[in-house]
Amino acid sequence: MKILYLSFDSGIPYWGTKGASIHIREFTKALKETGYKVTTVVARLGDSNKKAKDIFELPKVEADFFHQENSKEFHLLAESKAFAQNFGLRKLLKQVKTKKFDLVYERYSLFGIAGLSFSKESRLPFVLEVNSPLVEEAKTNRQLALEPLAKAVEAYLFSNAGHLVAVSDAVKDYIHSVAPKAAVTVVPNGVDVRPFLKVRASNGKPEKSRKKKFTVGFVGSLKPWHGLEFLLEAFRRLPESEGFELKIVGEGPLRPSLEKLSQKLNLQRRVAFTGAVDFEQIPKTLKMLDALVAPYPRMDGFYFSPLKIFEYMAAGRPIVASRIGQVAEILEDGKNALLVPPENPEALVSALLRLKSERKLGEQLGKQAQKAACEKHSWKNRLKNVEAIFKSLVDKR
């Protein structure tokens, strides 16, 4: 089966290090390994030095931004530019030699409608993958100057897609609040466990010279919904004599304020901000940490399907995570992780002290997490549901 995979969000570079970039690469890789021929079209490649014969970048829309970033004018122009990306798809597809697709699969973006338009014109099945309620997310975390247009695009896509893939039950509920009759299947994110299994376990064991140290790690984008301020507060409460150190691996808009908070809490000697690392280095990075933390804050309608949780599990390291949303459905407290109430630094402190003093418990939790990742949460398993959707839509043609 030949699939046209689309992503119109210029904020997600194909070769980027953020979770959404990794999601696109890992999902399309899994499709190809299963036997599908996938042509990928993205708004931004992100690295012009990396080439692939079946990955294409939409023609660029030239624009000069002379307004201050975050101003109303800036967002109006930036969002208009994002919508204009739609007009480049037809031009690009004329250049793509593989024109006879069997299905169009698009990752939902705020202003992308050309995929659905193309599928209608070509009479091809159209599947829309929804990872978050983007309109609400944009309004909450940044400006959304063209909200009426974004809502119109959202309603058009949700109401006309042949089938929608939602990454969580909360996202499914959101889709139905916009389009009550939409056909939706929940398919959480997954992980390719193979690179994690290749990294030898010895890489994860503390070196002899660092026996007294216990290195805690967070790996991911530094965004408001990750609750890192609560992790820093937990570290302030941990006695320095206990030998805890924290590595925050990743980049994002909150890095300056988090570094400032770390200095304010006098944690510079115990907290390191490493910046982003290439995805290929993530397995080794995770295995070298003694515990992995996902301190999500309290959120109504927690809609995420966090890639980091599945990667943490595949790494086989002990996990401390907030008991919230899909995280609490995937992880089992005391069996393959320690779950704590959101926004509770004292509970984080207790869990980390326990893992440091009960190393065998941590090893057992890590083993069980890795076992669950292999048996339940690989991309190969996730594709079983996606393939059923593909077959159903193609058979109806």
Side-chain angles (χ1 to χ4, degrees):
M1 185 184 296
K2 295 179 180 177
I3 296 175
L4 174 62
Y5 181 98
L6 300 171
S7 171
F8 281 85
D9 192 336
S10 62
I12 306 175
Y14 181 83
W15 295 114
T17 58
K18 61 168 58 176
S21 302
I22 293 164
H23 179 236
I24 291 174
R25 295 204 300 273
E26 291 293 288
F27 180 73
T28 53
K29 183 182 78 173
L31 284 173
K32 292 174 186 175
E33 289 179 347
T34 308
Y36 295 94
K37 293 184 178 179
V38 183
T39 299
T40 304
V41 176
V42 296
R44 188 156 67 97
L45 286 173
D47 188 342
S48 58
N49 293 320
K50 293 183 178 179
K51 305 290 184 185
K53 63 179 182 180
D54 54 2
I55 303 167
F56 301 87
E57 185 178 66
L58 286 166
K60 292 189 182 302
V61 177
E62 298 299 333
D64 290 326
F65 293 93
F66 46 83
H67 300 285
Q68 284 189 337
E69 195 168 343
N70 291 327
S71 68
K72 182 80 171 180
E73 293 86 353
F74 176 87
H75 282 275
L76 279 168
L77 289 169
E79 289 166 23
S80 299
K81 180 185 172 186
F83 187 72
Q85 291 275 16
N86 286 292
F87 301 108
L89 182 62
R90 184 182 297 277
K91 180 180 178 182
L92 176 67
L93 289 179
K94 288 181 179 177
Q95 301 168 3
V96 177
K97 292 180 181 179
T98 308
K99 295 180 180 177
K100 293 182 179 179
F101 300 106
D102 298 301
L103 183 142
V104 179
Y105 187 102
E106 181 170 343
R107 181 188 173 97
Y108 167 54
S109 61
L110 274 173
F111 300 107
I113 59 168
L116 178 54
S117 178
F118 171 73
S119 73
K120 281 178 172 284
E121 179 183 277
S122 305
R123 298 185 178 181
L124 294 174
F126 179 78
V127 179
L128 185 71
E129 174 193 287
V130 184
N131 291 270
S132 63
L134 290 180
V135 173
E136 298 303 317
E137 195 174 82
K139 286 165 57 180
T140 303
N141 297 304
R142 55 184 187 274
Q143 291 190 39
L144 182 58
L146 298 178
E147 181 180 342
L149 177 60
K151 283 189 170 181
V153 168
E154 178 185 71
Y156 175 69
L157 290 173
F158 289 4
S159 301
N160 288 279
H163 204 101
L164 293 100
V165 171
V167 296
S168 68
D169 288 328
V171 170
K172 179 179 179 179
D173 292 343
Y174 178 78
I175 292 170
H176 280 151
S177 74
V178 176
K181 295 182 180 179
V184 187
T185 299
V186 175
V187 181
N189 285 324
V191 64
D192 180 357
V193 298
R194 293 169 298 181
F196 295 88
L197 298 179
K198 287 179 182 176
V199 179
R200 291 186 303 171
S202 58
N203 286 343
K205 294 179 179 175
E207 299 170 11
K208 289 183 180 179
S209 61
R210 299 177 64 241
K211 275 188 174 179
K212 293 183 180 179
K213 294 288 184 183
F214 191 87
T215 307
V216 178
F218 168 89
V219 179
S221 300
L222 308 188
K223 299 284 184 64
W225 49 81
H226 284 138
L228 287 171
E229 63 272 29
F230 301 103
L231 182 57
L232 290 176
E233 172 58 25
F235 258 72
R236 184 190 69 79
R237 301 184 187 198
L238 280 167
E240 194 166 352
S241 59
E242 289 286 344
F244 281 90
E245 57 186 18
L246 173 62
K247 284 189 177 180
I248 296 179
V249 182
E251 281 292 349
L254 286 194
R255 178 167 178 172
S257 62
L258 290 170
E259 288 182 323
K260 192 174 179 180
L261 177 59
S262 175
Q263 292 173 4
K264 182 180 177 181
L265 299 178
N266 196 26
L267 295 172
Q268 302 96 309
R269 287 187 300 174
R270 292 194 283 160
V271 178
F273 291 83
T274 69
V277 300
D278 289 339
F279 180 63
E280 289 71 22
Q281 297 300 317
I282 291 295
K284 185 176 180 180
T285 300
L286 294 180
K287 289 224 174 188
M288 293 183 71
L289 299 166
D290 293 305
L292 305 168
V293 182
Y296 290 102
R298 192 177 297 112
M299 290 175 62
D300 291 333
F302 185 91
Y303 53 80
F304 300 102
S305 178
L307 277 174
K308 80 167 77 299
I309 293 297
F310 302 114
E311 291 167 355
Y312 283 5
M313 295 174 77
R317 309 305 296 153
I319 301 168
V320 178
S322 297
R323 186 184 289 106
I324 190 168
Q326 193 180 87
V327 176
E329 298 169 6
I330 299 293
L331 298 175
E332 296 182 62
D333 185 41
K335 181 177 179 181
N336 55 25
L338 295 181
L339 298 180
V340 298
E343 301 185 11
N344 191 327
E346 198 56 45
L348 280 171
V349 167
S350 297
L352 293 173
L353 285 171
R354 187 180 176 194
L355 287 178
K356 183 174 183 289
S357 63
E358 300 178 42
R359 297 276 183 151
K360 287 189 177 179
L361 169 67
E363 289 177 10
Q364 188 61 28
L365 294 175
K367 284 180 181 177
Q368 288 300 316
Q370 190 174 63
K371 184 170 183 284
C374 293
E375 293 178 352
K376 302 178 183 177
H377 306 301
S378 68
W379 282 118
K380 187 177 179 181
N381 272 327
R382 299 292 189 247
L383 282 188
K384 292 176 182 174
N385 285 332
V386 177
E387 287 190 277
I389 296 167
F390 289 175
K391 186 175 186 309
S392 171
L393 292 175
V394 171
D395 287 348
K396 287 180 182 176
R397 292 181 65 191

Short mmCIF file of all heavy atoms in Angstrom, two decimals, residues 1-5 28 31-40 54 98 100-103:
data_model
loop_
_atom_site.label_atom_id
_atom_site.label_comp_id
_atom_site.label_asym_id
_atom_site.label_seq_id
_atom_site.Cartn_x
_atom_site.Cartn_y
_atom_site.Cartn_z
N MET A 1 0.85 -1.21 0.00
CA MET A 1 0.00 0.00 0.00
C MET A 1 0.88 1.25 0.00
O MET A 1 1.86 1.31 0.73
CB MET A 1 -0.91 0.00 1.24
CG MET A 1 -1.92 1.15 1.25
SD MET A 1 -2.91 1.21 2.77
CE MET A 1 -3.82 -0.32 2.68
N LYS A 2 0.52 2.22 -0.82
CA LYS A 2 1.31 3.47 -0.90
C LYS A 2 0.60 4.57 -0.10
O LYS A 2 -0.55 4.87 -0.35
CB LYS A 2 1.47 3.89 -2.35
CG LYS A 2 2.30 2.91 -3.18
CD LYS A 2 2.40 3.36 -4.62
CE LYS A 2 3.23 2.36 -5.43
NZ LYS A 2 3.29 2.75 -6.87
N ILE A 3 1.34 5.13 0.85
CA ILE A 3 0.76 6.12 1.76
C ILE A 3 1.44 7.47 1.57
O ILE A 3 2.68 7.56 1.51
CB ILE A 3 0.92 5.65 3.22
CG1 ILE A 3 0.11 4.37 3.45
CG2 ILE A 3 0.48 6.74 4.19
CD1 ILE A 3 0.29 3.77 4.82
N LEU A 4 0.64 8.51 1.48
CA LEU A 4 1.16 9.88 1.51
C LEU A 4 1.00 10.39 2.93
O LEU A 4 -0.12 10.55 3.43
CB LEU A 4 0.38 10.77 0.54
CG LEU A 4 0.73 12.27 0.58
CD1 LEU A 4 2.19 12.50 0.18
CD2 LEU A 4 -0.20 13.07 -0.34
N TYR A 5 2.14 10.62 3.62
CA TYR A 5 2.12 11.10 5.01
C TYR A 5 2.41 12.60 5.00
O TYR A 5 3.40 13.05 4.42
CB TYR A 5 3.18 10.37 5.84
CG TYR A 5 3.21 10.81 7.29
CD1 TYR A 5 2.57 10.07 8.28
CD2 TYR A 5 3.86 11.98 7.67
CE1 TYR A 5 2.58 10.48 9.60
CE2 TYR A 5 3.88 12.40 8.99
CZ TYR A 5 3.23 11.65 9.95
OH TYR A 5 3.23 12.07 11.25
N THR A 28 6.63 6.73 10.80
CA THR A 28 6.78 6.42 9.37
C THR A 28 7.79 5.30 9.17
O THR A 28 7.65 4.49 8.25
CB THR A 28 7.19 7.67 8.58
OG1 THR A 28 8.35 8.27 9.18
CG2 THR A 28 6.06 8.69 8.55
N LEU A 31 5.94 2.12 9.73
CA LEU A 31 5.10 1.81 8.57
C LEU A 31 5.93 1.16 7.46
O LEU A 31 5.54 0.15 6.87
CB LEU A 31 4.44 3.08 8.03
CG LEU A 31 3.25 3.66 8.81
CD1 LEU A 31 2.85 5.01 8.23
CD2 LEU A 31 2.06 2.70 8.78
N LYS A 32 7.09 1.73 7.19
CA LYS A 32 7.95 1.20 6.12
C LYS A 32 8.42 -0.20 6.46
O LYS A 32 8.46 -1.08 5.60
CB LYS A 32 9.15 2.13 5.92
CG LYS A 32 8.78 3.49 5.32
CD LYS A 32 9.99 4.41 5.28
CE LYS A 32 9.61 5.80 4.83
NZ LYS A 32 10.74 6.75 4.90
N GLU A 33 8.78 -0.42 7.72
CA GLU A 33 9.26 -1.75 8.12
C GLU A 33 8.16 -2.80 8.04
O GLU A 33 8.43 -3.99 7.92
CB GLU A 33 9.84 -1.69 9.54
CG GLU A 33 11.16 -0.93 9.61
CD GLU A 33 11.72 -0.86 11.02
OE1 GLU A 33 10.98 -1.18 11.98
OE2 GLU A 33 12.89 -0.48 11.16
N THR A 34 6.92 -2.32 8.12
CA THR A 34 5.78 -3.26 8.03
C THR A 34 5.45 -3.58 6.57
O THR A 34 4.65 -4.47 6.30
CB THR A 34 4.56 -2.65 8.75
OG1 THR A 34 4.95 -2.26 10.06
CG2 THR A 34 3.42 -3.63 8.87
N GLY A 35 6.04 -2.83 5.65
CA GLY A 35 5.83 -3.12 4.24
C GLY A 35 5.15 -2.04 3.44
O GLY A 35 4.94 -2.19 2.23
N TYR A 36 4.76 -0.94 4.07
CA TYR A 36 4.11 0.16 3.35
C TYR A 36 5.16 1.01 2.63
O TYR A 36 6.27 1.18 3.13
CB TYR A 36 3.32 1.04 4.33
CG TYR A 36 2.16 0.33 4.98
CD1 TYR A 36 2.30 -0.27 6.23
CD2 TYR A 36 0.93 0.25 4.34
CE1 TYR A 36 1.24 -0.94 6.83
CE2 TYR A 36 -0.14 -0.42 4.94
CZ TYR A 36 0.03 -1.01 6.18
OH TYR A 36 -1.02 -1.69 6.76
N LYS A 37 4.76 1.54 1.51
CA LYS A 37 5.61 2.50 0.81
C LYS A 37 5.11 3.90 1.20
O LYS A 37 3.98 4.26 0.86
CB LYS A 37 5.55 2.29 -0.70
CG LYS A 37 6.18 0.96 -1.13
CD LYS A 37 6.21 0.80 -2.64
CE LYS A 37 6.89 -0.51 -3.01
NZ LYS A 37 6.93 -0.71 -4.49
N VAL A 38 5.95 4.62 1.91
CA VAL A 38 5.52 5.90 2.50
C VAL A 38 6.27 7.06 1.85
O VAL A 38 7.50 7.08 1.82
CB VAL A 38 5.77 5.91 4.02
CG1 VAL A 38 5.25 7.21 4.63
CG2 VAL A 38 5.12 4.70 4.69
N THR A 39 5.52 8.02 1.34
CA THR A 39 6.08 9.28 0.88
C THR A 39 5.74 10.34 1.91
O THR A 39 4.56 10.57 2.20
CB THR A 39 5.50 9.69 -0.49
OG1 THR A 39 5.83 8.68 -1.45
CG2 THR A 39 6.06 11.03 -0.95
N THR A 40 6.74 10.94 2.50
CA THR A 40 6.52 11.89 3.59
C THR A 40 6.72 13.32 3.10
O THR A 40 7.73 13.64 2.47
CB THR A 40 7.51 11.61 4.75
OG1 THR A 40 7.36 10.26 5.17
CG2 THR A 40 7.25 12.54 5.92
N ASP A 54 12.45 9.64 -0.24
CA ASP A 54 10.99 9.64 -0.09
C ASP A 54 10.49 10.65 0.94
O ASP A 54 9.40 10.55 1.46
CB ASP A 54 10.50 8.24 0.28
CG ASP A 54 11.22 7.68 1.50
OD1 ASP A 54 12.06 8.39 2.07
OD2 ASP A 54 10.94 6.53 1.88
N THR A 98 6.18 9.33 -7.30
CA THR A 98 5.19 8.35 -6.87
C THR A 98 3.86 9.06 -6.66
O THR A 98 3.60 9.61 -5.61
CB THR A 98 5.63 7.67 -5.56
OG1 THR A 98 6.95 7.18 -5.73
CG2 THR A 98 4.71 6.54 -5.19
N LYS A 100 0.67 7.71 -7.46
CA LYS A 100 -0.49 6.85 -7.23
C LYS A 100 -0.50 6.34 -5.79
O LYS A 100 0.03 5.27 -5.49
CB LYS A 100 -0.48 5.69 -8.22
CG LYS A 100 -0.69 6.15 -9.66
CD LYS A 100 -0.72 4.96 -10.61
CE LYS A 100 -0.95 5.44 -12.03
NZ LYS A 100 -0.96 4.31 -12.99
N PHE A 101 -1.11 7.13 -4.92
CA PHE A 101 -1.21 6.73 -3.52
C PHE A 101 -2.50 5.95 -3.30
O PHE A 101 -3.47 6.07 -4.05
CB PHE A 101 -1.19 7.97 -2.61
CG PHE A 101 0.06 8.80 -2.76
CD1 PHE A 101 0.03 10.02 -3.43
CD2 PHE A 101 1.26 8.35 -2.24
CE1 PHE A 101 1.17 10.78 -3.58
CE2 PHE A 101 2.41 9.11 -2.37
CZ PHE A 101 2.37 10.33 -3.04
N ASP A 102 -2.49 5.17 -2.21
CA ASP A 102 -3.70 4.43 -1.82
C ASP A 102 -4.41 5.09 -0.66
O ASP A 102 -5.58 4.82 -0.41
CB ASP A 102 -3.33 2.99 -1.44
CG ASP A 102 -2.73 2.22 -2.60
OD1 ASP A 102 -3.41 2.10 -3.64
OD2 ASP A 102 -1.58 1.79 -2.47
N LEU A 103 -3.68 5.96 0.08
CA LEU A 103 -4.26 6.55 1.29
C LEU A 103 -3.45 7.77 1.70
O LEU A 103 -2.23 7.83 1.48
CB LEU A 103 -4.25 5.49 2.41
CG LEU A 103 -4.86 5.83 3.75
CD1 LEU A 103 -5.59 4.58 4.31
CD2 LEU A 103 -3.80 6.26 4.76
#
